[in-house]
Amino acid sequence: MTSTHAFWLAGRQATGETTFDVTSPWDGRVVGTVSVPTDAQVEEAVAAAHAVVDEFAATPAHVRAAALDHVSKRLAERTEEIAQLISAENGKPIKWARGEVGRAVSVFRFAAEEARRFNGGEAQRLDTDAGGQGRLALTRRFPKGVVLGIAPFNFPLNLCAHKIAPAIAVGAPIILKPAPATPLSGLVLGELLAETELPAGSWSVLPVLNESMPALVKDERLPVISFTGSDKVGYAIQESVPHKHCTLELGGNGAAVVLDDWSSEEDLDWAATRIATFSNYQGGQSCISVQRVIADASVYDRLVPKIVAAVERQGTGDPSDDATDVGPLVSEDAAKRVESWVDEAVSGGAKVLTGGRRDGAAYAPTVIADLPADATLACEEVFGPVLTLHRVDGEGEAFAEVNNSKFGLQTGVFTHDLQTAFRAHRALEVGGVIVGDVPSYRADQMPYGGVKQSGVGREGVKYAMDDYTYERVLVLTGLAL
């Protein structure tokens, strides 16, 4: 019998009056039963976080850094156990789950390092004009207040880490809401935070159900919202609280551009392998997975067979098997949605070169050519293991095709030419351009985020710390400068 997982309320374990089961998308077994906070318990967590705002902001940097270091080290010690948990609740192949734990280890380590450097202040002489004689400005950053972090299911540990670690680093209390489909990984972070000496009330991990979120989002004591998820939900949150500071990490329609100078057999083999891997990793359930290949006509006919062969080499099946590259989607409903989008595209004239089959929550890695411009697959984020192919003539047409999307998260550009790389950086309407590789590359310390309907703001530890804080200037008068 599965035991019930308590949640974390103001730094301590608690249980509510109801529970829900977390099930494996691979075989349907119950992975864990999670206790749901009552409305009164949610209120207690918010009140505790609000009450500790000033105390936590004043906590010495070494205390915050030590807590972050501790979580990083404990995650590393428990890597295999936590990876198995991620794989079980999410359906992620175990090799990708281990990689996710490793990234979370780094996120907390980066945050510990940044906490020690944070807020050294910037001094500015004001006597550059006569009215500022004897005056010095010191600018420092201070937390905006309690952070409400709302995490998605696709990276159930690392994207929780990206909410929690920067908040602790700056001394901002945080209430984390993990995704209902995958709350167990977030609750593990609660276990590790409870081993630290952070002030009571400075953090909570609450597996609140989605229908209970509107009241929490609108609570005036939570002035900062950091949300990762769909564009529909993200913009609904922003519209409901226009006076709050919202960071929105939303969807994408990631493109890999292969230009005419990326033309040797070695070049094309590398591009095909990377494209096949990162259109299907996490079951395609990543905002920066490769959804579109935009290839110059001079290389298209040689590249496509290589992509199809590389996709067909992706191992599918049980996510607990080390040989599995592509596991199930998070639910059968998610797989049915992908199936319906592919069927719609095919009915409009698209050709399936490989894949196109669903088995429960699993969808076979799929490559599609001749996609109609008005197909849902062309316009929306598929969030599944489906790749579409597009032939273009020249760099200008390739870049225009990238920009022909309501999303703008990241783009990969396969080119050897440095000038082309800089033109891509200037021309592409995205938050990140990855040269010589797919759009799916993300280092957790770099600024990460998008434009257009891919969201607002940036994550990446240092950049999230800036996002959670604001500048406040101190002017000293009567100094002999």
Side-chain angles (χ1 to χ4, degrees), residues 202-431:
S202 62
W203 60 272
S204 293
V205 181
L206 304 179
V208 178
L209 299 180
N210 289 342
E211 52 266 31
S212 301
M213 283 304 294
L216 197 55
V217 164
K218 292 180 180 179
D219 195 303
E220 295 293 334
R221 295 166 295 178
L222 308 175
V224 179
I225 297 176
S226 179
F227 171 84
T228 302
S230 73
D231 57 318
K232 180 180 178 181
V233 175
Y235 286 119
I237 288 173
Q238 186 182 56
E239 289 170 5
S240 71
V241 287
H243 58 291
K244 290 193 177 190
H245 179 87
C246 294
T247 297
L248 305 178
E249 298 294 342
L250 308 178
N253 189 349
V257 177
V258 185
L259 295 176
D260 60 357
D261 69 313
W262 199 271
S263 58
S264 71
E265 291 301 313
E266 183 180 7
D267 284 345
L268 297 179
D269 286 342
W270 163 257
T273 299
R274 298 294 285 176
I275 287 166
T277 298
F278 288 97
S279 63
N280 294 293
Y281 86 126
Q282 328 288 341
Q285 298 169 120
S286 168
C287 298
I288 47 177
S289 66
V290 185
Q291 184 168 333
R292 297 180 288 164
V293 173
I294 299 169
D296 190 87
S298 64
V299 299
Y300 183 91
D301 289 335
R302 294 165 56 213
L303 177 63
V304 167
K306 293 177 182 289
I307 290 176
V308 171
V311 168
E312 290 177 344
R313 289 195 294 270
Q314 295 286 301
T316 61
D318 187 344
S320 67
D321 187 338
D322 284 338
T324 297
D325 300 304
V326 187
L329 275 69
V330 72
S331 68
E332 186 169 357
D333 284 345
K336 287 180 177 178
R337 177 190 54 77
V338 173
E339 179 181 44
S340 70
W341 288 13
V342 172
D343 289 347
E344 177 206 47
V346 170
S347 68
K351 297 178 182 176
V352 175
L353 304 186
T354 189
R357 301 177 304 279
R358 182 181 67 82
D359 181 8
Y363 197 82
T366 298
V367 180
I368 292 178
D370 301 331
L371 181 69
D374 60 350
T376 305
L377 271 177
C379 305
E380 301 292 339
E381 179 182 37
V382 64
F383 227 59
V386 178
L387 179 66
T388 63
L389 306 175
H390 307 263
R391 183 197 301 262
V392 294
D393 290 312
E395 174 190 308
E397 190 173 321
F399 291 174
E401 183 64 23
V402 171
N403 292 340
N404 184 27
S405 173
K406 67 181 182 179
F407 298 109
L409 193 47
Q410 290 195 164
T411 296
V413 180
F414 288 90
T415 182
H416 295 291
D417 187 76
L418 186 60
Q419 293 296 335
T420 300
F422 275 89
R423 285 195 298 271
H425 198 202
R426 182 173 60 249
L428 297 178
E429 299 166 355
V430 294

Side-chain angles (χ1 to χ4, degrees), residues 274 278 281 288 410 434 437-443 446 448:
R274 298 294 285 176
F278 288 97
Y281 86 126
I288 47 177
Q410 290 195 164
I434 314 300
D437 206 349
V438 291
S440 317
Y441 177 79
R442 178 183 181 184
M446 77 183 197
Y448 174 79

